[in-house]
Amino acid sequence: MRVLILYETRRGFTLTVARAVRDELRALGYEATASPLRGTDPGTFAAADAFVVGTWVKGLIVARVGPAEGTEEGVRAIPSLEGKPAIVFCTCDVSPRRTLETLAEWLEARGADVRGRIVFRRKKSLANAAEAASAIADAFGAAG
């Protein structure tokens, strides 16, 4: 199964998480690729069987918390995902509030079958990459 991991990053932390999950999925037998949400070519989307889409969380702990600027535009630019499985994730310091629900809604509007949500907290994220990849694999099914 070909999994495309799309990410919106500002300082590179969400990219680091995306790459760690990619590497763990590869270790589980998936053909996984990480690519920026904005700027990925249509052929790359077409070749993917499943998607993992992530963003960093903007906001002021309790005010104006949500997906990073540009994430919604990036999702709107994605070709139709009609029926394709997807997982959403975010990176944050404190609380994502409704970030994952919002991101899932945007993907569902593009036709994706959102099967899970994962939060990566800044201080513990990379230690949880293997566990996250295992949960993603369970949601997507067989790697072959």
Side-chain angles (χ1 to χ4, degrees):
M1 175 178 279
R2 293 174 306 243
V3 178
L4 178 57
I5 303 167
L6 300 164
Y7 58 87
E8 182 66 38
T9 192
R10 179 175 57 175
R11 293 186 204 136
F13 184 68
T14 307
L15 165 61
T16 300
V17 170
R19 287 178 176 167
V21 170
R22 175 202 63 197
D23 294 346
E24 293 293 341
L25 284 172
R26 286 178 177 172
L28 293 172
Y30 290 83
E31 186 179 324
T33 305
S35 185
L37 177 59
R38 295 182 286 166
T40 299
D41 67 275
T44 302
F45 285 109
D49 301 309
F51 296 86
V52 177
V53 181
T55 181
W56 57 277
V57 175
K58 68 168 177 128
L60 304 169
I61 300 176
V62 295
R64 297 189 303 268
V65 176
E69 299 296 330
T71 304
E72 184 174 13
E73 294 80 8
V75 170
R76 284 185 183 165
I78 293 174
S80 173
L81 301 177
E82 200 57 47
K84 291 195 177 182
I87 299 288
V88 295
F89 79 92
C90 67
T91 59
C92 63
D93 285 324
V94 181
S95 171
R97 311 262 310 179
R98 285 197 32 81
T99 299
L100 293 173
E101 289 76 12
T102 300
L103 186 54
E105 289 167 4
W106 294 342
L107 285 170
E108 288 167 347
R110 303 292 310 133
D113 173 16
V114 178
R115 298 182 179 180
R117 297 160 173 79
I118 303 170
V119 175
F120 289 94
R121 296 215 188 325
R122 235 178 174 357
K123 295 182 175 144
K124 303 174 188 171
S125 297
L126 297 180
N128 297 330
E131 181 181 331
S134 179
I136 292 167
D138 288 347
F140 288 165

